[in-house]
Amino acid sequence: MKFIISLFLIAILSFAACLFLPWWCIALVAFLVLAFIPQRPLLAFLCGFFAVGLLWAVLSFYISSKNEHLLAHKVSLLILNMDNPLFLIIITAFIGGLVAGMGALTASFMRRPVPVEA
């Protein structure tokens, strides 16, 4: 249940924060959500990754479909050397997911106690 709540909180707060702040604020949002709702490291990473990855995939597809993928075709030719706007959307979602996943993973590692050696 904590996973689903964290997933929705990260997605909603990331969307709201990106309206006013730079794109990398998704890492801060994921960090803050997982700092207040602690989870194990793997679940924390997956929560941040899927929340922002799905958010960015949906948003980039929506924005790209508004102009019939004209800009996505041109950018995919420049960056990927092939005409595939869907692959460009997948790469965008993957990068956003990685950034948020690392922010969430950092929060998860900060909540864990440090082992003391004898």
Side-chain angles (χ1 to χ4, degrees):
M1 191 63 170
K2 290 190 322 184
F3 181 82
I4 295 172
I5 292 171
S6 299
L7 194 81
F8 283 121
L9 273 176
I10 291 172
I12 291 169
L13 293 175
S14 293
F15 177 76
C18 283
L19 293 175
F20 304 105
L21 299 172
W23 69 270
W24 48 264
C25 70
I26 59 174
L28 298 175
V29 169
F31 177 85
L32 290 174
V33 169
L34 270 295
F36 288 112
I37 305 174
Q39 294 183 24
R40 290 181 290 146
L42 179 64
L43 285 178
F45 177 80
L46 291 176
C47 185
F49 183 84
F50 286 131
V52 174
L54 290 174
L55 175 71
W56 276 23
V58 169
L59 285 176
S60 60
F61 184 79
Y62 175 74
I63 291 169
S64 182
S65 67
K66 285 298 211 178
N67 67 1
E68 298 170 355
H69 305 287
L70 292 176
L71 184 62
H73 281 287
K74 293 178 182 182
V75 172
S76 68
L77 282 172
L78 284 173
I79 294 177
L80 306 173
N81 291 330
M82 62 179 155
D83 188 18
N84 193 350
L86 184 61
F87 190 59
L88 186 67
I89 290 171
I90 291 170
I91 289 174
T92 302
F94 183 73
I95 291 172
L98 277 180
V99 171
M102 291 299 171
L105 186 63
T106 303
S108 177
F109 281 148
M110 288 186 67
R111 303 251 333 161
R112 299 180 82 195
V114 178
V116 178
E117 295 182 22

